[in-house]
Amino acid sequence: MGCGVLSVTVLFSNPAIRAALLIQRWYRQYVARLEMRRRCTWNIFQSIEYAGEQDQIKLYNFFDFLMHHFTPASSESKTRRLPTHWERYFCYESIEVPDSYTGPRLTFPMTFCGVSKVVQAFKHKQQLHARYVLQLLRETWRLLRILTNISHVSTCHTKEITICGDLHGHLEDLLLIFYKNGLPSSEKPYVFNGDFVDRGKNSLEILLILFGFLLVYPNDVHLNRGNHEDHIVNLRYGFTKEVLGKYRVHGKKILNLLQKIFSWLPLATVIDHKVLIVHGGISATTDLNAIARVDRHKYVSALRPPKPTHYAADGCKTQAMGSNHREASGPAEGRRRKKKDLSGCIFGRCEIWSMLMQYVYYIIYTSPLSSVLTMTDSSTQIVDVLWSDPMPQNGCIPNEVRGGGCYWGPDVTEEVLGRHNLQLLIRSHECKQDGYEFCHNRRVLTIFSASNYYEMGSNRGAYIRMGPDLVPHFIQYQASQACRELTLRQSVGWTERSALRALREQLFVHKSDLISAFQEFDPNNTGKISLSHWASATESVLKLGLPWRVLRPQLVSSTQYGMVDYQMWIRELSITEPKLQISDTSILETMYKNHSNLETIFRVIDTDHSGSISFEEFRQTWRLLCSHLKTEISDEAIADLAHSIDFNKDGSIDINEFMEAFRLVDLSAHA
Amino acid sequence: MCTRRSERLSTRSTTRPTAPWTSGELVRRQAAQEIGTIIYSLGCFPSQKDLHDFIAKVEEDHTGYIHLDKFLPAMTKVLQEHKFPPISEDLLLQAFEALDKEKKDYLDPEELTKYMTQEGEPFTQEEMEEMLTALADHRNQIHYKDVVSQMTIKPDK
């Protein structure tokens, strides 16, 4: 890209050269404009994604309470269960496989033939029978229990090791990797660095394939746990739904077994004592020796650290809650986590159900104990390794965007790698445009293997090949023929439209708050505000950290003299066909705003995973959430809502129908 | 390593946590490309030489970093003086016509490649491939009249 070496006279005398210069200048400008749009689009997707994760972790006290009262897992922690109980609970022998079943029939111990049959079956969109699923999972659980927290691999005996990042249910990407790179074997070892599930629609197939290969080649296939190998996260991000949808009868058994399996997944892999592979990253306090010693299976979910063994001093019936509160600990970096302010909850004025009463006890009696019930060191070590992200500046600060783990800087990389005598940290956890990215002076490498993660054409996936020289080589790909042939403009356009749709949905659900914010800048009620006020008001409501001025042409159809007619703009964002007809539309808006949280909560309450909850459960839940959100709600309004949602009028609410009711059917789009 | 500045590129409330470093610092990995992207998106059409001159003026003493407090005044000046004005559709059309020696109303990929990679401020191979993918139709011809009208980005009102 250097300057042309031309004399001025030549420049002016040769029209072709002048023409070329002009065209080059024009085209470079065009490409740069596209690049800017692509980055904005990326920004939009990522900020909405991380805001969602943050939301869930912010509500962790609430979820913790729900967990305690609703999930079978909570009863498990109260009693000691021997492995044999689990084995009996998950017996599959009684499950008959009918003759009509055309999928693969497996025998155990698993063989290469067996797992190949499974891969082929999934390629042809077949489903593995529940009996074999349970059997496979049970064998996996038995194997994982004897593995150590950190897998140690050496490249001496084998040629090269393959390292894959997040797959997130994208089966086509895993198949593409196997196609390009070969199936796992003793000659072809693999490391899979977590986040196998959620978001994509073939999470279970990916798990079964990976577990299958793990069973056949336990010394050559290594799985690291990711932050999505967590049943509470799965409630929100689609894996729970996928399993229950595919296995209506045995789904919950499968999910319960997976809950155990996830907690038994190893936490890290080290190659030749030189390369550390973990899903999220590190923190200033990361200590591999400490990690090696933890009882990893006790950490079932990041959103619910294991409960300490003592009970509340006042003898309150509720068991001591595992608090997520954290004190400033150890190092001078002073990593502090703000204590959640629980005192501001507003409760229903009328009947106080027993559950609400217990919630009150929880708040009153556990807050003072927070200094005792601190998140243990082991929890911190594990959460840091699964949730952290790198940052450009030095230091180590809590990762408040995700809600868990930390942001760590280049100085921390140097210190931690140095302390452990390592030369490279390979991690995943963040989507990258080209499938991989170095940072921290090439000491940290992010690898991401789910292509088209946000949308068709949004990014490539990649995997690493590494030999005894420990130099990473990258292979990139993008699933689907169609994507590769798209021009830059088309793929940016496609992704952008999708991102803008997601963004307009966010704007819509915050309608009332936006209007209030705009009105603060419009004291004379002219209905118009300046562009810069529009941008700052929108950011103050949505808090996504997006470049609103840059996005403005895509979001606001017309401005006059630099002013935005905000009432008209808000009207233009409307849904055209709400499926739900109820009298109180403000509830509608609150529900839209919180529909992801709601879905998660519903799935928690639906303990038998039947797919529906009773009116009473629905009302209790809704009340609880409203009190937590500090929103007043009348009993009448809740009852009205419950009745409207009961589409088939059978006295119970089908979760999927409920979520369907709140799917935004159509938003009037701009251009 | 430069310290984080408190200036932000956009007005933003800080009550919802967002990544703390998306503010005043512009880190230069490939300065020409990153700064170029920014200047182009502001509606300017500098040449590569223009870009290099601009960067030389705002770069922080060969550290490879560019601070907002140097970039902003320089960029404002560029915008106020209309230093790198846009290229009009007519001018662009004339430019394509100048390359179309045989007056056939389209260019072959080879013709365009020759000019773009050998004359003026030459394209890299990557840039050339991208351009051909974007501009060539199913007959592998670049019908520049259609291209120009489709791809000229109208200025924001």
Side-chain angles (χ1 to χ4, degrees), chain A residues 175-384:
Chain A
L175 294 176
L176 190 52
I177 294 172
F178 286 162
Y179 176 73
K180 288 169 91 74
N181 196 53
L183 294 173
S185 69
S186 331
E187 287 77 46
K188 196 150 288 189
Y190 272 79
V191 176
F192 292 94
N193 199 15
D195 277 12
F196 318 120
V197 301
D198 280 332
R199 300 189 192 281
K201 50 188 180 58
N202 295 108
S203 299
L204 187 58
E205 284 76 16
I206 288 194
L207 276 187
L208 295 171
I209 291 176
L210 295 184
F211 291 159
F213 278 111
L214 175 70
L215 289 171
V216 182
Y217 301 108
N219 297 315
D220 303 292
V221 173
H222 307 276
L223 306 180
N224 284 345
R225 189 176 184 184
N227 64 310
H228 278 259
E229 275 69 60
D230 180 328
H231 70 289
I232 299 186
V233 175
N234 298 150
L235 286 168
R236 188 191 184 98
Y237 290 101
F239 181 50
T240 310
K241 190 169 169 173
E242 178 190 323
V243 173
L244 295 174
K246 289 177 177 169
Y247 293 92
R248 291 184 184 276
V249 178
H250 300 285
K252 61 177 175 156
K253 243 191 198 176
I254 292 174
L255 286 172
N256 285 330
L257 190 41
L258 279 169
Q259 194 179 311
K260 299 284 303 166
I261 286 177
F262 285 164
S263 71
W264 277 106
L265 284 170
L267 300 168
T269 301
V270 177
I271 303 180
D272 288 350
H273 304 289
K274 283 283 161 215
V275 177
L276 172 63
I277 311 176
V278 287
H279 174 73
I282 54 176
S283 75
T285 53
T286 293
D287 176 358
L288 291 181
N289 295 321
I291 291 176
R293 287 192 304 263
V294 305
D295 277 333
R296 68 180 190 273
H297 70 283
K298 289 207 175 130
Y299 300 87
V300 177
S301 168
L303 293 163
R304 212 179 158 208
K307 303 194 187 321
T309 47
H310 57 270
Y311 289 77
D314 63 279
C316 174
K317 270 201 196 123
T318 56
Q319 192 181 350
M321 302 292 175
S323 168
N324 299 78
H325 296 191
R326 222 152 122 176
E327 304 291 86
S329 57
E333 286 95 347
R335 292 180 51 218
R336 303 177 115 258
R337 191 84 174 264
K338 298 190 195 73
K339 242 167 44 160
K340 289 293 164 185
D341 176 21
L342 299 169
S343 55
C345 292
I346 304 164
F347 295 101
R349 294 169 302 245
C350 311
E351 316 94 315
I352 296 177
W353 296 307
S354 62
M355 197 165 81
L356 281 177
M357 214 46 216
Q358 289 186 54
Y359 194 31
V360 172
Y361 284 136
Y362 165 56
I363 288 157
I364 293 172
Y365 290 112
T366 60
S367 295
L369 290 172
S370 61
S371 54
V372 179
L373 302 173
T374 54
M375 203 187 242
T376 64
D377 238 7
S378 305
S379 287
T380 314
Q381 292 281 341
I382 295 181
V383 173
D384 284 346

Side-chain angles (χ1 to χ4, degrees), chain A residues 432-473:
Chain A
K432 295 294 176 192
Q433 170 81 358
D434 292 315
Y436 73 94
E437 190 173 277
F438 278 106
C439 68
H440 293 190
N441 215 8
R442 294 180 79 90
R443 296 273 263 167
V444 174
L445 170 57
T446 303
I447 184 76
F448 196 86
S449 301
S451 69
N452 307 325
Y453 179 59
Y454 290 123
E455 179 53 88
M456 281 304 248
S458 66
N459 64 291
R460 290 196 272 186
Y463 59 90
I464 299 169
R465 294 274 304 208
M466 186 179 270
D469 60 358
L470 301 181
V471 172
H473 300 276

Side-chain angles (χ1 to χ4, degrees), chain A residues 1-6 15-37 39 50-52 54-55 58 389-394 397 400-401 407 410 437 485-489 532 535-536 539-548 552-553 559, chain B residues 1-2 4 10-13 15-21 25 29 32-34 36-38 40-50 52 85 87 91-92 94-96 98-99 101 112 115-117 119-124 127 130-131 133-135 147-148 150-154 156-157:
Chain A
M1 259 196 301
C3 302
V5 182
L6 299 163
I17 294 179
R18 271 183 19 238
L21 274 169
L22 200 85
I23 294 173
Q24 286 158 345
R25 199 155 50 100
W26 162 77
Y27 193 74
R28 282 176 170 136
Q29 201 267 6
Y30 179 76
V31 170
R33 292 286 291 261
L34 280 185
E35 172 61 18
M36 193 55 114
R37 280 167 61 188
R39 290 204 197 183
Y50 293 167
Q54 190 194 115
D55 254 350
K58 269 184 166 172
D389 291 309
M391 67 172 176
Q393 298 104 320
N394 283 337
I397 54 177
E400 285 177 356
V401 173
Y407 282 121
E437 190 173 277
E485 286 163 6
L486 287 178
T487 64
L488 180 61
R489 185 180 67 150
S532 59
S536 102
E539 177 56 31
S540 73
V541 172
L542 284 184
K543 303 189 183 90
L544 289 171
L546 291 172
W548 296 103
R552 197 268 312 157
T559 58
Chain B
M1 198 55 126
C2 299
R4 216 171 353 124
S10 61
T11 53
R12 178 154 44 104
S13 98
T15 33
R16 179 173 215 140
T18 49
W21 57 85
E25 219 170 61
R29 264 177 302 151
Q33 207 173 340
E34 303 274 306
T37 305
I38 295 174
Y40 285 133
S41 346
L42 292 169
C44 302
F45 285 71
S47 67
Q48 300 296 288
K49 183 174 186 313
D50 294 330
H52 286 154
I87 298 170
L91 202 53
L92 193 55
Q94 277 179 48
F96 276 105
L99 300 185
K101 295 263 160 53
L112 188 59
Y115 285 111
M116 293 295 105
T117 57
E119 309 288 5
E121 293 175 330
F123 275 359
T124 61
E127 284 178 300
E130 212 319 296
M131 190 188 213
T133 321
L135 303 190
V147 161
V148 166
Q150 270 172 32
M151 289 171 74
T152 309
I153 298 174
K154 303 277 177 293
D156 295 333
K157 293 193 198 77

